[in-house]
Amino acid sequence: MKKLLLFTAAILFGFATMAQVVIYEDDFESYTTGDYLAAQSADWTTWSNAPGSSEDAFISEDQAQSPIKSVLVEGSSDLVKPLGNKTSGKYEISFGFFVPATFGGYYNLQHFESPGVEWAMEVYFGSDGNATVHAGGENAAAFTFNLDEWIDVQNIVDLNNDAAELWINGTFIHGWQFSLQSGGDPGTLQLGGVNLYAGALTGDTPKYYFDDFLYQELPNVIYEDDFESYNVGDYLAVESEWWDTWSGTPGSSEDALISDEQSHSTSQSVKVDGSTDLILLMGDRVSGQYQVDFYYYVPTGYAGYYNFQHFETPGVEWAFEVYFTETGDGFIHAGGENAAFFTYNHDEWVLCSQFINLDDDWTELYIGGNLIHEWQWSLQAQGDPGTNQLGGIDIFAGAPTGETPLFYMDDIIWTELSSSSDPNIAVTPANFTEIIDQGTIVTDNMNIENTGSANLDFDLEIIYNIAGDKSIPQNEATNIGSHSVMISNLVSEDPSPQSGGAPAPSDDVILNYDGDNASAIGLSAPGIWQAAAKFMNVLTLPYAGMELTSVEVFINELVEGYTLKIYGEGDYDYEPGDLLAEQVFFPNEASWHTITLDTPITITGEDIWVGYELDQQGTDIFPAGTDDGPADPNGNWIKTGIAWGHLSHDYNWNIRAHLTGDVITQWLSVDPTSGIVVPGESTDITVTFDATDLEIGSYSAKIQVNSNAPTTPLIEVPVMLGVIVGIDEAEDNTAIMIYPNPAADYLNINSNKEIQTIRMTNYVGQVVFNRSVNNELIKINTSDYRAGIYFIQITTVDGIITKQIVIK
């Protein structure tokens, strides 16, 4: 029997409480005392992703909120609990917190699972019992707490409404716009992780325990009403935009009046009699899990009724119908006529609860807290096949034949329950292979579908495969700087900057965000750090085929060492990919410096990160030059530890990438390049292959699909193009046989005309075979070739013919 998991109904303050979906909970009793938490649990990691290191935290029996164990945070502990980079839904993150006398404590929320990109909020617990909150701004709130006592910490994050709340011991402390960073700067609407760090206010020694960690998704209340905000005698559909009537005539006899004759809570409800025919509009939802609760009161001698509709426009499909008879009996039509029966009491309020799981096409109906029936939701009331969609509720003055309808409705609440409140992307086809005539243009379609239950945002990038497009990736040693709770606390600006102006003019193509040098930045404590500018696809694609040959930077003061570092595109916007170039350089002080790359990097259209690493061993040093702003979001990336973030100052680094050479012919394009797809829908992308200016041969690229789908934020669609001779360039009577195809160890090519030359290229356009033949038959050994698609250009006395083959 199919069940809806974690669905329960209870009565609290007159409303039905909704079930939470527990994502993770732990009381830490199952771990070994004295061992590290992250080393024992894959659910936890550390700031530098080093479980079992000094950043990990010990399981302790010194203190506990429940049973006997908790987690001790002190020294260099820096625990991270990843929360999934959630972009929609409502969540609770709660735990017990114990700060011993004379010590301090700290924790923060991160917008990204990769820590250090954006701090969402921070809480400092002082050794004097005073606490400070940075959330939506520095020192946004304060509270007091008792040392040597367990404190209940509750964080509520509502991503659907970009709001968050902090509660301590059940008392509301602060509410703010969650997408703002802790210091108040604009940030990302995303829930990434919790950082339990051995941090404290200046002068305090950090030491604390946490226990009973709970991470759960909370129901998202879409609509609720107790009807107390209206005037008695008002028409509901006139006063509330959530309601309409069957014929779309609010204020008519189909509307319902607000009444104080009966009420489940306080003093008012909705009276349904006569020709009342109210519709609650529910938006034609096609995915998600929902709970709908309301109370019915049927006076003695009368009857009642309601139904759900599959469509917001009523009358298309009845999903199910519920009848309350004058005798106290009830019956429903749901997946079939008279599918279930129940009893109820007149002159009493009865709770009606519906659990509708569109993701699994299943429903449960409860009356008075008792399960009455469960069935396939998409079936219509009489059992006919229907639509898996939630359209609306019809509160109709209906009754069994011969009976009189009169009833009251109160305290309605409609809640989204499911944790599937994320977009999900499906892209078809998985790849493109096109063979077209030289000088022609053809189009094809790519489909992007949203199979999730939140809006899908996407953008497309064209990246060309160009032979020799990258230097060989090198292994980069990870340099871990000191952990900081705000990047603005870690860096400082030159208090008396001397402007360095602009570098000498150049005929090169220059990628940069900065203006003239105007200031400089340094660490407030010694450490190794990096500055970088990220040049996006929109900037690099027009120059695909050119080479990045040199980089210009402004160096204000000299430190121990400088290393140029250039990275490719990463899987996420906030971190780079492979290290493409690493080169030590020796600049002069207070001047622009040009670093000529030992091995140029070919521009392909992918994002490229250009920057340098500094080994700063002193304080009050300001080595990295900046302009005077305003900052571009990609012009001021900084890495002070394991993760990249943004410089807190409104400046750009003085970093400029110089490109030389010629661009390739841009033969691939997509339209549109970005868009939004609502749940359950899809959009077609026109993919254009333009061989107008291409030579005969093979070409390859990829279409990169970036989206906000949390499980697949990046999808690559390989594209292979073969350009062949037009029909007017080869005789119609030239016959070519190529076998076997696919080939494994060898390939035979046979023609009825003499073959002069054969040229074979792989999918990136590299020539792998080129030979004069002067015969009608040739056998090629293919055993040493990589598996994939190849193009063969066969020149005969009548012209050139290009064929596609596959090698297994």
Side-chain angles (χ1 to χ4, degrees):
M1 182 177 291
K2 203 166 188 179
K3 293 290 184 183
L4 300 178
L5 299 178
L6 299 173
F7 285 175
T8 61
I11 299 174
L12 179 66
F13 303 124
F15 283 83
T17 62
M18 306 300 158
Q20 291 80 24
V21 179
V22 175
I23 301 172
Y24 169 80
E25 62 180 335
D26 207 333
D27 62 3
F28 309 110
E29 297 300 315
S30 64
Y31 306 113
T32 303
T33 301
D35 284 352
Y36 285 119
L37 171 60
Q40 298 181 77
S41 173
D43 293 310
W44 292 83
T45 186
T46 73
W47 188 268
S48 305
N49 194 26
S53 71
S54 60
E55 289 186 339
D56 212 334
F58 288 112
I59 301 298
S60 171
E61 294 183 12
D62 296 343
Q63 301 291 340
Q65 186 177 47
S66 65
I68 62 171
K69 298 178 183 179
S70 64
V71 181
L72 170 61
V73 178
E74 63 178 347
S76 56
S77 295
D78 208 349
L79 276 174
V80 173
K81 174 67 183 78
L83 299 177
N85 284 344
K86 300 290 187 179
T87 57
S88 61
K90 185 176 181 180
Y91 303 89
E92 174 187 352
I93 306 100
S94 60
F95 43 84
F97 206 81
F98 183 100
V99 183
T102 74
F103 291 97
Y106 169 88
Y107 78 92
N108 69 66
L109 298 183
Q110 297 277 315
H111 280 150
F112 292 83
E113 272 197 349
S114 180
V117 180
E118 291 180 8
W119 279 258
M121 61 90 75
E122 304 173 83
V123 182
Y124 289 87
F125 297 82
S127 61
D128 60 356
N130 292 304
T132 303
V133 182
H134 302 319
E138 292 190 28
N139 302 313
F143 61 92
T144 61
F145 68 98
N146 292 330
L147 297 159
D148 285 331
E149 290 184 11
W150 281 97
I151 306 160
D152 290 323
V153 177
Q154 184 183 38
N155 305 275
I156 305 296
V157 179
D158 184 353
L159 296 170
N160 298 322
N161 295 300
D162 193 8
E165 296 177 355
L166 171 65
W167 295 71
I168 300 293
N169 289 334
T171 300
F172 175 76
I173 302 300
H174 183 50
W176 72 99
Q177 180 182 336
F178 184 70
S179 61
L180 294 177
Q181 298 184 57
S182 58
D185 294 328
T188 306
L189 183 56
Q190 181 169 279
L191 177 60
V194 182
N195 178 210
L196 291 145
Y197 167 56
L201 294 168
T202 302
D204 282 353
T205 300
K207 180 179 179 179
Y208 62 89
Y209 303 82
F210 70 92
D211 200 0
D212 296 332
F213 192 97
L214 174 65
Y215 174 38
Q216 62 182 350
E217 183 173 13
L218 301 176
N220 175 36
V221 176
I222 300 172
Y223 167 73
E224 63 179 324
D225 208 334
D226 62 3
F227 309 109
E228 298 299 319
S229 64
Y230 311 111
N231 296 318
V232 173
D234 282 348
Y235 281 115
L236 177 58
V238 171
E239 300 299 323
S240 172
E241 63 182 9
W242 286 94
W243 295 88
D244 200 351
T245 74
W246 188 271
S247 304
T249 54
S252 70
S253 60
E254 288 184 339
D255 212 335
L257 296 174
I258 302 299
S259 170
D260 59 2
E261 296 169 4
Q262 300 290 340
S263 69
H264 178 258
S265 64
T266 317
S267 63
Q268 296 179 182
S269 64
V270 177
K271 184 176 183 180
V272 180
D273 64 353
S275 55
T276 300
D277 207 349
L278 273 175
I279 301 293
L280 176 65
L281 306 173
M282 305 185 83
D284 288 341
R285 294 172 185 258
V286 296
S287 63
Q289 301 174 31
Y290 304 92
Q291 178 174 345
V292 185
D293 292 303
F294 48 81
Y295 286 85
Y296 256 39
Y297 181 100
V298 184
T300 299
Y302 293 96
Y305 169 89
Y306 70 89
N307 71 66
F308 275 60
Q309 298 277 313
H310 280 152
F311 289 82
E312 195 171 69
T313 300
V316 181
E317 289 181 11
W318 277 257
F320 70 93
E321 303 175 85
V322 180
Y323 287 85
F324 299 80
T325 73
E326 290 179 355
T327 63
D329 297 311
F331 60 92
I332 68 171
H333 305 320
E337 190 170 350
N338 297 317
F341 301 88
F342 62 94
T343 60
Y344 73 100
N345 293 328
H346 283 93
D347 300 323
E348 293 182 8
W349 284 98
V350 180
L351 174 62
C352 304
S353 299
Q354 289 75 202
F355 299 98
I356 301 165
N357 186 339
L358 296 172
D359 298 327
D360 292 335
D361 192 11
W362 201 253
T363 310
E364 295 177 4
L365 170 66
Y366 291 76
I367 301 292
N370 298 312
L371 176 63
I372 303 303
H373 187 48
E374 55 184 331
W375 72 99
Q376 182 181 335
W377 166 256
S378 61
L379 294 177
Q380 298 184 56
Q382 300 297 319
D384 296 326
T387 306
N388 187 24
Q389 181 171 282
L390 176 59
I393 307 174
D394 179 18
I395 308 296
F396 171 53
T401 302
E403 297 185 2
T404 303
L406 170 63
F407 56 92
Y408 301 84
M409 178 191 63
D410 202 359
D411 294 336
I412 185 169
I413 181 168
W414 170 29
T415 306
E416 184 176 25
L417 297 170
S418 73
S419 57
S420 60
S421 54
D422 287 319
N424 190 49
I425 188 170
V427 178
T428 53
N431 58 74
F432 288 96
T433 300
E434 297 284 343
I435 300 178
I436 64 176
D437 288 339
Q438 186 181 30
T440 62
I441 300 173
V442 301
T443 62
D444 204 340
N445 284 331
M446 180 172 70
N447 183 264
I448 297 177
E449 182 181 9
N450 181 4
T451 59
S453 56
N455 283 352
L456 174 73
D457 298 324
F458 72 89
D459 66 81
L460 307 178
E461 297 180 7
I462 302 296
I463 299 172
Y464 290 100
N465 290 324
I466 302 171
D469 62 352
K470 294 181 181 178
S471 61
I472 298 173
Q474 304 170 49
N475 293 324
E476 178 187 12
T478 301
N479 297 300
I480 308 299
S482 59
H483 175 83
S484 76
V485 294
M486 288 181 65
I487 291 180
S488 59
N489 292 340
L490 191 65
V491 300
S492 55
E493 181 183 358
D494 189 346
S496 54
Q498 301 293 319
S499 174
S506 169
D507 293 332
D508 298 346
V509 171
I510 301 175
L511 302 180
N512 71 299
Y513 299 105
D514 64 318
D516 293 355
N517 170 256
S519 189
I521 297 293
L523 289 187
S524 56
I528 295 174
W529 58 287
Q530 293 188 54
K534 178 176 70 168
F535 301 112
M536 306 283 285
N537 170 261
V538 67
L539 294 177
T540 63
L541 183 60
Y543 305 112
M546 298 185 73
E547 291 185 331
L548 197 169
T549 53
S550 64
V551 175
E552 272 185 312
V553 298
F554 187 91
I555 301 302
N556 187 58
E557 293 181 285
L558 297 181
V559 294
E560 295 297 321
Y562 293 89
T563 304
L564 175 71
K565 291 197 171 185
I566 300 176
Y567 303 88
E569 183 167 352
D571 291 338
Y572 298 93
D573 288 340
Y574 53 83
E575 60 187 17
D578 292 334
L579 181 65
L580 306 181
E582 183 175 28
Q583 193 169 318
V584 174
F585 64 96
F586 302 95
N588 295 318
E589 190 169 82
S591 65
W592 286 90
H593 182 79
T594 300
I595 308 126
T596 301
L597 271 66
D598 294 335
T599 303
I601 297 173
T602 303
I603 299 300
T604 64
E606 74 171 328
D607 298 352
I608 192 164
W609 295 61
V610 180
Y612 55 95
E613 183 178 85
L614 304 82
D615 184 2
Q616 179 183 332
Q617 295 304 311
T619 59
D620 297 324
I621 301 174
F622 309 97
T626 72
D627 65 9
D628 61 355
D632 185 282
N634 289 302
N636 66 352
W637 288 94
I638 180 171
K639 181 181 180 183
T640 58
I642 193 66
W644 287 89
H646 290 288
L647 179 65
S648 57
H649 296 69
D650 192 25
Y651 301 152
N652 300 288
W653 301 117
N654 287 131
I655 297 175
R656 304 183 177 190
H658 287 243
L659 312 183
T660 60
D662 299 320
V663 299
I664 64 168
T665 299
Q666 302 262 334
W667 52 265
L668 180 65
S669 62
V670 292
D671 184 40
T673 58
S674 63
I676 298 174
V677 185
V678 301
E681 298 294 331
S682 66
T683 188
D684 282 332
I685 306 297
T686 301
V687 182
T688 300
F689 306 87
D690 186 351
T692 302
D693 298 315
L694 294 182
E695 299 294 329
I696 294 170
S698 57
Y699 303 84
S700 69
K702 64 183 176 183
I703 302 171
Q704 183 166 293
V705 185
N706 306 304
S707 76
N708 63 333
T711 56
T712 49
L714 184 151
I715 295 175
E716 294 181 350
V717 180
V719 179
M720 283 175 278
L721 174 67
V723 179
I724 62 176
V725 67
I727 191 68
D728 58 338
E729 296 183 45
E731 295 292 334
D732 292 343
N733 58 357
T734 300
I736 300 289
M737 291 181 60
I738 300 177
Y739 61 94
N741 188 11
D745 299 324
Y746 64 92
L747 187 69
N748 292 311
I749 303 175
N750 196 356
S751 173
N752 63 343
K753 300 290 180 70
E754 181 180 282
I755 300 172
Q756 296 176 335
T757 62
I758 287 182
R759 182 173 182 265
M760 185 162 64
T761 57
N762 63 14
Y763 74 100
V764 295
Q766 295 171 315
V767 178
V768 297
F769 184 90
N770 192 7
R771 183 177 300 174
S772 295
V773 179
N774 300 321
N775 202 329
E776 295 180 358
L777 174 67
I778 183 174
K779 185 174 184 177
I780 302 173
N781 183 354
T782 59
S783 59
D784 292 332
Y785 291 155
R786 289 186 177 182
I789 296 176
Y790 293 76
F791 294 95
I792 295 182
Q793 299 171 20
I794 304 165
T795 303
T796 72
V797 293
D798 293 330
I800 300 174
I801 297 174
T802 301
K803 298 288 186 179
Q804 174 188 315
I805 66 162
V806 176
I807 296 178
K808 297 188 294 185

